[in-house]
Amino acid sequence: MRIVESSLDPADALIDTVHPPGTPWVQLLKAGQMFRIVDLEGNQAVDTLFYNAADLSERYSLLHTILAQSNLYLGVGTAIMSSENRPMMTITADTCGRHDTVGGGCCSSESNTVRHGLDKRFMHSCRDNFMLAIGEHPAGFQKRDVVSNINFFMNVPMTSAGRLTYEDGISGPGKYVEMRAEMDVLVVISNCPQLNNPANGYNPTPVRYLVWDAPVTVASPT
Amino acid sequence: MPGGCHWSGLLRRGNTLRVTARGANANVSALFYNFEDRGERYNMPDTLKIQSTAFIRKGLVCYSDMGRVLCSVADSNCAWHDTIGGLIDGPTVERRYGVRRFQEHRNDMFRNAHDGFLTELGKWGLGRRDLVPNVNFFSKVQVDDDGAMSFAPAHSKDGDFVDLRFEMNVLVVLASAPHRLDLSPTYAPPTVELQCWRSGTAGKDDPCRQAMPENRRGFMNTERYYL
């Protein structure tokens, strides 16, 4: 696990906003912009999807991402890949250590009934947030466009024997992950409202987003 | 289904499909969709999270994103079927094995699972928006403590089989191309045999249903769907 801090100053950010738990958030990021997600209170799951803003049928791909780096976990240096095997984002800073995507099915009311009990059908879920976000978006998204996502700040270790479990989070208050947009992307986030998962202490909490414009590069004199 | 080829079809609830490898090192990539509502499909993270596993084996089931059991693995002599290795695509086949075009090689050309899936999906009105993480029967991919993925060579042998019992009406898409992480320099996916029979759905005492409380609820969701 690599810890790398960012040199970007929140005072220079273009966007600086707090996202309450249990709600969706949609934002266009331009190529080159920097995007930071801050886990304000610790161990919050930030269920994230990326779409190519120019062609929404190109989207985040769990498999292309883990195969591109031949590693299950996301961290500094990870290229977040699209379904066309192109980099959408690159993680440039991270004070958490690693992030999950293999457990990234986003909690739905239907999967809650299976995992936690048939009486959990009416609990709020990430899938509800995604459905609301895409339902309100003018682009004509459908349910089929909701694919497996990234769970920032979640720790879902897989053993060599093939066991997969949710563990206590390795994140903490103020830890963050920062990434650079490699194309114009639409980011769609559910700040996970999961009340059944010990990983976030059964306590969904807010997260903070910051967006910076592409750093100005000055050509060195030749 | 000859090595490298692709197939799709409807497997109705209560039927079992046996996939048998007729050669070593088989890899059969598979995806499953609810036949009547193709927006409902195999969900890899839910399948893994619900059953606390990174792979599929006898006694486990494949979940849809709607909390229902698409199919159960009623039997298999192969202890590990991969869920995290994805599909081999054209550029990877070309890089690893070179180019073998139809013009010179006819049906012995090199094919890849990604294109095979898109070809089959197109027949049913589906496309790349519907291409989600798949299962790779007969292959094994492990990870170490740091998450590094590795392909287990020589994992499957001639005669290995898996019995998929369909608990819903399922559109099945299959491709028999090499595994994406298989570093063998020889393109030699073996033929796989497909057999189907009427088996009925999982009974009350079925091991897949009784494997864990989660699966009992998953089967209940499935049965409610067909009321």
Side-chain angles (χ1 to χ4, degrees):
Chain A
M1 291 199 284
R2 258 177 82 209
I3 303 296
V4 174
E5 295 195 8
S6 167
S7 58
L8 292 172
D9 185 348
D12 300 331
L14 207 63
I15 293 173
D16 185 349
T17 186
V18 170
H19 180 196
T23 59
W25 189 76
V26 180
Q27 177 67 41
L28 176 71
L29 299 175
K30 305 292 282 182
Q33 284 186 331
M34 304 296 292
F35 177 47
R36 182 188 295 181
I37 307 175
V38 186
D39 186 6
L40 288 173
E41 298 183 32
N43 298 327
Q44 178 59 6
V46 183
D47 286 20
T48 305
L49 285 168
F50 297 102
Y51 299 85
N52 176 348
D55 174 6
L56 298 172
S57 68
E58 180 176 6
R59 73 283 299 272
Y60 171 68
S61 169
L62 179 177
L63 287 175
H64 287 92
T65 301
I66 63 174
L67 288 166
Q69 47 167 0
S70 204
N71 195 293
L72 220 53
Y73 309 119
L74 279 57
V76 168
T78 297
I80 293 173
M81 304 295 282
S82 77
S83 49
E84 300 300 313
N85 208 27
R86 300 196 301 156
M88 306 186 89
M89 311 288 291
T90 304
I91 298 180
T92 52
D94 178 28
T95 61
C96 175
R98 70 184 194 194
H99 307 267
D100 163 64
T101 189
V102 164
C106 80
C107 59
S108 64
S109 49
E110 291 80 14
S111 69
N112 278 343
T113 65
V114 177
R115 294 175 67 203
H116 307 293
L118 293 171
D119 60 326
K120 303 292 196 267
R121 171 66 179 81
F122 299 101
M123 293 179 80
H124 190 41
S125 68
C126 276
R127 177 63 69 90
D128 288 5
N129 286 338
F130 282 135
M131 295 315 292
L132 180 61
I134 68 177
E136 286 184 335
H137 197 274
F141 277 118
Q142 297 170 3
K143 171 178 171 287
R144 70 201 278 223
D145 298 302
V146 176
V147 290
S148 302
N149 54 274
I150 301 173
N151 288 329
F152 285 113
F153 306 112
M154 281 295 98
N155 184 27
V156 186
M158 189 178 288
T159 67
S160 57
R163 196 169 160 75
L164 183 88
T165 51
Y166 272 77
E167 299 292 329
D168 284 340
I170 52 175
S171 187
K175 295 198 175 183
Y176 62 82
V177 58
E178 192 171 288
M179 57 208 102
R180 181 179 61 243
E182 305 295 356
M183 59 172 78
D184 291 355
V185 298
L186 195 68
V187 52
V188 180
I189 295 180
S190 164
N191 191 15
C192 184
Q194 180 60 267
L195 289 171
N196 300 292
N197 192 334
N200 69 354
Y202 307 98
N203 179 32
T205 52
V207 289
R208 178 185 178 195
Y209 305 129
L210 298 108
V211 178
W212 290 264
D213 257 336
V216 178
T217 49
V218 181
S220 53
T222 50
Chain B
M1 179 168 62
C5 292
H6 44 82
W7 179 86
S8 65
L10 164 63
L11 269 295
R12 285 195 178 82
R13 172 173 161 79
N15 287 284
T16 292
L17 173 70
R18 171 170 290 184
V19 185
T20 309
R22 292 295 171 216
N25 302 320
N27 179 65
V28 178
S29 301
L31 272 177
F32 309 112
Y33 302 79
N34 175 346
F35 189 77
E36 286 88 15
D37 174 9
R38 293 165 200 167
E40 178 179 1
R41 56 205 177 186
Y42 170 68
N43 186 292
M44 175 261 246
D46 278 356
T47 298
L48 302 188
K49 279 189 295 189
I50 286 167
Q51 299 176 109
S52 296
T53 182
F55 63 96
I56 298 290
R57 58 177 163 76
K58 176 182 175 178
L60 297 183
V61 307
C62 293
Y63 275 96
S64 81
D65 63 290
M66 296 294 281
R68 292 189 275 255
V69 179
L70 289 157
C71 62
S72 43
V73 183
D75 199 2
S76 180
N77 69 329
C78 184
W80 187 304
H81 301 282
D82 166 53
T83 59
I84 59 173
L87 287 178
I88 196 162
D89 58 10
T92 309
V93 165
E94 190 172 328
R95 206 167 47 244
R96 191 161 301 150
Y97 307 106
V99 179
R100 241 201 207 188
R101 295 185 308 165
F102 182 73
Q103 184 171 342
E104 295 85 23
H105 298 278
R106 300 296 188 252
N107 284 317
D108 291 329
M109 67 177 172
F110 288 164
R111 307 186 215 207
N112 68 82
H114 174 267
D115 292 358
F117 269 39
L118 283 185
T119 305
E120 294 301 330
L121 288 172
K123 297 174 184 175
W124 305 92
L126 303 176
R128 59 191 195 131
R129 288 162 75 191
D130 306 289
L131 207 47
V132 290
N134 60 288
V135 183
N136 290 308
F137 290 107
F138 308 117
S139 291
K140 180 176 183 177
V141 174
Q142 282 175 286
V143 296
D144 68 14
D145 289 346
D146 297 322
M149 299 165 69
S150 60
F151 180 82
H155 171 63
S156 79
K157 56 187 187 308
D158 186 12
D160 277 0
F161 73 95
V162 58
D163 285 352
L164 303 173
R165 180 182 52 209
F166 289 88
E167 313 291 350
M168 296 176 64
N169 296 329
V170 173
L171 169 62
V172 179
V173 180
L174 303 177
S176 65
H179 191 280
R180 185 179 181 119
L181 297 177
D182 184 350
L183 296 177
S184 160
T186 313
Y187 182 96
T191 294
V192 292
E193 202 170 283
L194 307 176
Q195 294 166 297
C196 186
W197 65 89
R198 290 204 178 121
S199 59
T201 53
K204 285 270 175 288
D205 299 325
D206 185 78
C208 296
R209 184 195 295 269
Q210 298 299 339
M212 59 200 78
E214 287 83 352
N215 285 5
R216 291 200 282 276
R217 294 192 288 265
F219 275 98
M220 193 173 291
N221 282 344
T222 311
E223 278 147 14
R224 284 178 178 181
Y225 182 68
Y226 285 98
L227 279 177

